[in-house]
Amino acid sequence: MSDKIKIQVEDVNVFYGDIQALFDVTLDIKSKEITSLIGPSGCGKSTFLRCMNRMNDVIDGCRVEGKITIDGENIYDADKDPVLLRARVGMVFQKPNPFPKTIFENVAYGPKIHGLASNTSELREIVENSLEQAGLMDEVKDRLNDSATDLSGGQQQRICIARAIAVNPEIILMDEPCSALDPIATARVEELMGNLSNNYTIVIVTHSMQQAARVSTNTAFFHLGHLVEFNATKQIFTNPSDKRTEDYITGKVG
Amino acid sequence: MDIFDITIVILAISTASYFFAVKKITKISNTNDIRPDSILSYYGKIAAIWAFVPAFSLLLFYSFLSPIFSEMVFIEKLSKIFPEHTESQLDLAFAQLQNVANGILENPDININRLAVELKSWDETSLAVRSWVVFMLLAITALFSYSRLTPKFKARKTVESFLQKLFLGAAVVAILITIAIVASLLFEALRFFEVYNIFEFLFGTHWSPNIAIRDDQVGSSGSFGMLPVLSGTLLIALIAMMVALPIGIFSAIYMTEFASKGVRDFIKPTLEILAGIPTVVYGFFAALMAAPFFRSLGLSLGMDVSSESALAAGAVMGIMIIPFISSLSDDVMNSVPQSLKDGSIGLGATKAETVINVVLPAALPGLVGAFLLAVSRAIGETMIVVMAAGHAANLTANPLEAVTTVTVQIVSLLTGDTVFDSPKTLSAFALGITLFVVTLLLNIGALTVSRKLSEKYD
């Protein structure tokens, strides 16, 4: 475990039109660890996640203020291209969203648009390697040319993870990646996250406190757009310093 | 009483039935302390339906059948007076008789005059009888339903089944009308093919429908090869689609993926204005502005452009179709889930890459459906081509020449004085059924494709 800081967030405020969704969020996310964001619905944790790869840019009327640096570079600088940023910061969504294409093409999509492979055999290598890392290779190796939408929900979500890995990102953001999956598929994805954290910095939004406790090293608790508490996961779940965190993790509110 | 007065009376009685029924049921259930089967208004509704439907149906049937019946009777009588008349002459004589009876014409013929008086009194009696039988039926059904309604009656269920039958009836009427139109088209087309070889019609390359109308007239015998006409239609539709498809789809892409809300709110209504322009306005725009423009442009480039060119008509038709394509594509692309677009954006794709690689392939079946519907429209469009495409049946693929289309030919075959049983007139029906088959095939194609789309994301 390294103590190197990957993402530094300083005084971030987010507005949707006139409504403020996040208030002065400041935290540091460490490299090659899993960080969980928890909190009741509407607390701003997904909004915060989407700030880190500037996905909020595509939402009409959304405005982000403050500073988020990755390896010391502010991603909101005027000369920074959000498209290039998103290649470094991959994202996995709440609902599995494979493209209506073949399994191979789903994973090859990112490498193709970023020109990561100079010929088909290199592309094939990237695809197979990504599927391997996502723990899916054994299940789909005979049907890479079948439609990805025919797979089960858990497999689809792992395709989406493989798709994100294929671009060779440094950070993977996961927005409730298991909320549409059954417990068995969830266990597989969690195991996968553990393996991936050796190579990638992972930030995960989750509604399941057990999941946060199982997979993450650090946990941030959001409430009504404020970052209430950010600490080692163990600390948060055993000895929270804020009353609101305690109420939430003990099930009194939320 | 005319049909309108009778309808008013029927409506009044039905409304009264409603309130009487509600009152009766209220009274019975209150005195006997029973809970009625349905909400009270359903008893009123069923009473009103029982009063209205039989009487009104009878009124319609009677009004429809009685003139047919009287015509039969009086043509029979006329045929006794004029035994040498043919069927169409008898029809004419009956029309004359009606005019005499209504005092529009004066006829010196004593027989006709006598019959006219007879027809007049027949008509008057028939009207009086109509009022009486309708009112009798109305009274019977209204009283019957009133006397039969009890709180135990399943009024809600009965109203439900009545409405179900009403909706079914509407659907059946729509289907029957379609079948009737197709059948009459087909029937007349078959009459044409009795006098003209169907293969010469389908594959002939010479279209010149002018033929001798009188036996002693000197003239050509007429030639009905429809290929030049059909090729003209397809050429103009092709030009129209080449204009409409890129502009329509690209503007839809801009609106769904790139435009801010303010811009979209401006562009969409503007495109809808294009859709609201009457086709006749497009027609004279094509004939008076687009055609001369293309002609002078061609001349300046040293090309000979006919003053009524396929290009002018097709280009203007394309402009007419733009809003059609753009609004259909807009719907289709909006139905591509945002999660797919997010997936692509999240991988570091630009918006344009996302549109090309994800949105368009996912929307493709729907786009094909939109395209086929637009082609059907282009093929069936009449006014623009009548005014701007010309009447010369050239078998050509050169868009600078004048061509004619199926719709233009139908218009010119059937306008003015026509003889209904000449091949010239009947060929319009053959063209009509050809056009119908072509657009039907395209519509079936469009439906099949768009159905595939709706299966895909659920």
Side-chain angles (χ1 to χ4, degrees), chain B residues 231-252:
Chain B
S231 79
T233 296
L234 296 179
L235 178 63
I236 287 182
L238 181 75
I239 295 168
M241 294 319 290
M242 280 164 60
V243 172
L245 204 60
I247 298 181
I249 290 190
F250 290 174
S251 66

Side-chain angles (χ1 to χ4, degrees), chain B residues 20-334:
Chain B
F20 277 115
V22 171
K23 206 174 165 194
K24 179 187 173 187
I25 300 298
T26 319
K27 203 176 155 196
I28 299 181
S29 30
N30 283 347
T31 47
N32 300 342
D33 198 21
I34 322 168
R35 194 168 164 274
D37 175 77
S38 317
I39 297 173
L40 285 172
S41 69
Y42 275 109
Y43 293 94
K45 282 173 195 160
I46 198 70
I49 288 169
W50 275 342
F52 180 83
V53 174
F56 191 68
S57 320
L58 180 68
L59 176 65
L60 288 186
F61 270 105
Y62 192 101
S63 312
F64 179 69
L65 290 177
S66 93
I68 297 177
F69 183 66
S70 74
E71 182 172 350
M72 260 166 55
V73 171
F74 278 85
I75 283 192
E76 179 66 26
K77 291 184 181 186
L78 280 167
S79 70
K80 277 177 195 142
I81 303 171
F82 309 107
E84 73 285 3
H85 271 22
T86 63
E87 207 172 299
S88 58
Q89 280 171 315
L90 281 175
D91 282 345
L92 207 63
F94 179 72
Q96 198 185 11
L97 186 67
Q98 276 180 315
N99 285 334
V100 176
N102 295 332
I104 300 166
L105 273 181
E106 291 220 5
N107 196 297
D109 187 331
I110 185 97
N111 282 325
I112 295 281
N113 274 336
R114 195 173 46 77
L115 263 187
V117 173
E118 213 177 300
L119 177 64
K120 197 167 183 198
S121 76
W122 174 289
D123 283 347
E124 277 162 5
T125 319
S126 154
L127 279 182
V129 170
R130 179 176 74 181
S131 306
W132 278 114
V133 292
V134 169
F135 289 148
M136 286 294 283
L137 184 68
L138 180 63
I140 292 168
T141 53
L143 287 175
F144 182 75
S145 66
Y146 182 75
S147 66
R148 288 291 296 274
L149 278 178
T150 65
K152 281 198 176 142
F153 182 78
K154 299 203 176 315
R156 187 183 183 199
K157 225 173 153 186
T158 318
V159 170
E160 175 74 15
S161 86
F162 168 77
L163 288 178
Q164 221 173 57
K165 280 172 197 141
L166 184 73
F167 300 144
L168 174 71
V172 168
V173 166
I175 290 170
L176 285 183
I177 290 174
T178 313
I179 292 175
I181 291 175
V182 175
S184 76
L185 210 56
L186 197 64
F187 181 71
E188 300 295 338
L190 286 178
R191 277 178 65 195
F192 173 70
F193 292 130
E194 277 167 20
V195 294
Y196 199 83
N197 186 322
I198 185 168
F199 293 104
E200 275 177 47
F201 171 75
L202 288 178
F203 303 111
T205 57
H206 185 63
W207 178 267
S208 120
N210 288 316
I211 56 169
I213 294 173
R214 296 188 311 275
D215 291 338
D216 56 345
Q217 201 174 18
V218 181
S220 62
S221 61
S223 177
F224 299 95
M226 65 142 203
L227 276 187
V229 183
L230 190 65
S231 79
T233 296
L234 296 179
L235 178 63
I236 287 182
L238 181 75
I239 295 168
M241 294 319 290
M242 280 164 60
V243 172
L245 204 60
I247 298 181
I249 290 190
F250 290 174
S251 66
I253 291 176
Y254 179 72
M255 279 191 291
T256 50
E257 305 298 333
F258 293 95
S260 67
K261 197 176 171 303
V263 176
R264 191 165 46 233
D265 286 350
F266 171 73
I267 294 182
K268 263 204 122 154
T270 312
L271 277 172
E272 271 149 24
I273 290 174
L274 267 188
I277 298 175
T279 54
V280 69
V281 176
Y282 281 111
F284 66 69
F285 174 68
L288 302 180
M289 279 133 113
F293 168 75
F294 282 121
R295 183 168 165 76
S296 59
L297 186 73
L299 283 177
S300 67
L301 296 171
M303 283 188 297
D304 187 25
V305 183
S306 156
S307 59
E308 290 183 317
S309 62
L311 185 62
V316 173
M317 196 192 281
I319 294 171
M320 182 192 81
I321 294 175
I322 288 171
F324 194 68
I325 296 223
S326 75
S327 87
L328 280 176
S329 328
D330 192 39
D331 290 348
V332 171
M333 285 192 284
N334 268 327

Side-chain angles (χ1 to χ4, degrees), chain A residues 83 86 97-98 101 109 113-114, chain B residues 339-340 344-349 357:
Chain A
V83 169
R86 290 179 202 129
N97 59 347
K101 299 170 185 280
Y109 183 85
I113 53 174
H114 294 296
Chain B
S339 65
L340 280 186
S344 173
I345 300 274
L347 285 169
N357 294 315

Side-chain angles (χ1 to χ4, degrees), chain A residues 50 53 55 58 60 83 86-87 89-91 93 97-101 109-110 113-114 163-164 167, chain B residues 259-261 264 339-340 342-351 353-354 357-358 361-362 456-457:
Chain A
R50 291 166 70 96
N53 67 345
M55 276 301 275
V58 282
D60 265 350
V83 169
R86 290 179 202 129
V89 186
M91 188 158 196
F93 296 84
N97 59 347
F99 304 128
K101 299 170 185 280
Y109 183 85
I113 53 174
H114 294 296
R163 189 171 72 181
V167 189
Chain B
S260 67
K261 197 176 171 303
R264 191 165 46 233
S339 65
L340 280 186
D342 281 352
S344 173
I345 300 274
L347 285 169
T350 63
K351 274 190 176 179
E353 284 167 344
T354 303
N357 294 315
V358 176
K456 216 158 184 177
Y457 312 99

